[in-house]
Structures are given as C-alpha cells and as structure tokens.
Amino acid sequence: LSIQRFAEYLNQYDINSDTDLSSIFEHLPPVIQRAYITSSRKISPTDDFLTVFLYLFLQSDYGKDLNRKVCRIIKKRFKHANLAKDLVKRVSDKIEPILHQSQLF
C-alpha cells in the first residue's frame, strides 16, 4: 500500500477517538510496519505507536490529503493520549525520516 493509498484509506476508515488503531496496522505502508516491528520491544502498545505515527503523518506533506474529520480526530486522539515525551520522541526519530523518503511514493 502506497502512502497516498493509505491517506485514501484513512479518509474512508471509520476512525473516532475510541477506535482501536491496531486494525489499521495491516493497511500501513510496509516501511512503516517494519519501523514498528523493529521498535516494538521499546514501544508498546501498538495503539500508542499508531497514535504518534498518525499525528506525524498528519503533520507531514501527506497530511494534506486527509479530510477535515480525520484531521480533527487524529489531533484529538494525540492530545488525549497524553503520551510520554520520550515515547513520542522515539517514534518521531523512527518515523520522520521515513516520511521524507521518496520510496513511499
């Protein structure tokens, strides 16, 4: 699944502030799945990783393809998750370089 297709998927997905995000894992681009798998010993549960990933995705150039509803929900989830700063930094360090690579196109 390409990153653009993932944005399309999110726009169609019935996401809300209580949705178990693990159901979207299989729809992530493979490079993002590998980033989770290689960091999963340090980052748990999956929902926390995906919450940070979605927030970073929203902030990236790819976020412009998300509809307003999805954008609001991602921001709300991230805010209410109240994740530890070190967890957010670890996920950011893993994901941000990936979101800037051309291989996601």
Side-chain angles (χ1 to χ4, degrees), residues 1 24-40 49-50 53 95 98:
L1 188 63
I24 70 168
F25 185 81
E26 66 189 53
H27 298 282
L28 292 173
V31 68
I32 303 297
Q33 289 177 350
R34 284 190 300 276
Y36 170 73
I37 291 166
T38 61
S39 62
S40 63
F49 175 87
L50 292 172
F53 164 71
I95 296 300
I98 294 170

Side-chain angles (χ1 to χ4, degrees), residues 21-71:
L21 294 179
S22 61
S23 60
I24 70 168
F25 185 81
E26 66 189 53
H27 298 282
L28 292 173
V31 68
I32 303 297
Q33 289 177 350
R34 284 190 300 276
Y36 170 73
I37 291 166
T38 61
S39 62
S40 63
R41 288 179 299 250
K42 300 177 219 156
I43 301 169
S44 185
T46 308
D47 212 53
D48 290 348
F49 175 87
L50 292 172
T51 297
V52 177
F53 164 71
L54 290 175
Y55 186 75
L56 295 171
F57 184 79
L58 174 65
Q59 302 301 315
S60 75
D61 289 340
Y62 302 108
K64 70 183 182 319
D65 296 327
L66 298 174
N67 66 45
R68 287 172 49 185
K69 176 189 174 205
V70 171
C71 292

